[in-house]
Amino acid sequence: MRATMFGTVLAAALLSPTGTAAADEGPSSVDRLAWATGPDHAVTSAQVRAAPPWGACGRSTDPQKLVRLFTKNRVVDYALRCGGPKYSSTPTWGYRHILWRHRADFERMAAGTYQNWRDVADLAMSHNTSDPDRSSHGGGKSCYSRLLYLKNLRTGQVVRKQIFKMIVSNRDNNIITSYPAGTHC
């Protein structure tokens, strides 16, 4: 799917089962999340797949509960877990950290796309796992970054391009955090 090692970027769009985005109405419950290889490339119905659900994390849920599993090359799994510490007002890793510290960042990225913050966060983590533009490793952690083009689902126009980073623990492959960033790893 990539033309060069670092040159290809992705665009996000929600499509109907027929492979088209509705021009006059918002996405329906049967819409699917899909990506294109660049801001001007069309997304075909063959590329459409259902966006996976995320597990729920309540206030007292075990920090190790799996929220979503991201697989790299069918070999390595990166786990988004509830994280914690639980009951903390300032969680340091996992879903709780992303929700507490970066939800507003992802909401800003989703603005104008007709997607919610978790759609954009999932898109970023999925592509940082499977096809990062850059990565770095050290201090017991790995950083992955990817440039994505986000499109308005009604118009098909690119509303922004953004680098997203994901930090993973090398010890257990748990996702520590993911967020929009100004630079690559």
Side-chain angles (χ1 to χ4, degrees):
M1 179 174 189
R2 297 188 71 183
T4 65
M5 186 164 180
F6 298 113
T8 302
V9 293
L10 302 172
L14 282 178
L15 300 179
S16 70
T18 62
T20 59
D24 298 327
E25 57 189 48
S28 73
S29 61
V30 295
D31 289 335
R32 301 292 182 248
L33 193 61
W35 300 271
T37 56
D40 298 324
H41 295 118
V43 179
T44 67
S45 59
Q47 293 171 296
V48 176
R49 61 183 175 158
W54 284 17
C57 293
R59 181 164 160 71
S60 61
T61 304
D62 183 336
Q64 293 299 320
K65 179 185 175 192
L66 185 64
V67 174
R68 168 100 156 80
L69 196 63
F70 296 92
T71 302
K72 178 179 183 172
N73 301 328
R74 298 183 181 155
V75 176
V76 178
D77 291 328
Y78 296 120
L80 178 61
R81 300 192 181 277
C82 284
K86 74 178 170 179
Y87 306 118
S88 173
S89 62
T90 57
T92 58
W93 69 282
Y95 171 79
R96 287 183 176 114
H97 169 77
I98 294 168
L99 179 68
W100 168 73
R101 178 66 179 85
H102 302 294
R103 178 182 179 169
D105 300 329
F106 282 111
E107 284 176 343
R108 281 190 292 280
M109 294 300 106
T113 67
Y114 291 95
Q115 297 178 83
N116 67 45
W117 76 271
R118 287 195 317 191
D119 291 333
V120 176
D122 191 271
L123 172 74
M125 287 183 273
S126 177
H127 286 287
N128 272 319
T129 299
S130 64
D131 193 24
D133 286 333
R134 303 213 181 120
S135 64
S136 64
H137 312 279
K141 300 175 189 174
S142 292
C143 175
Y144 301 95
S145 62
R146 179 78 186 172
L147 176 65
L148 299 175
Y149 286 89
L150 301 173
K151 287 188 172 184
N152 179 302
L153 301 179
R154 290 186 179 180
T155 67
Q157 299 297 312
V158 173
V159 293
R160 73 185 45 80
K161 64 180 183 177
Q162 180 65 48
I163 296 169
F164 293 91
K165 287 184 181 178
M166 181 175 78
I167 310 298
V168 177
S169 167
N170 291 340
R171 179 177 48 87
D172 53 18
N173 287 342
N174 284 335
I175 296 171
I176 298 169
T177 191
S178 181
Y179 55 93
T183 61
H184 281 285
C185 297

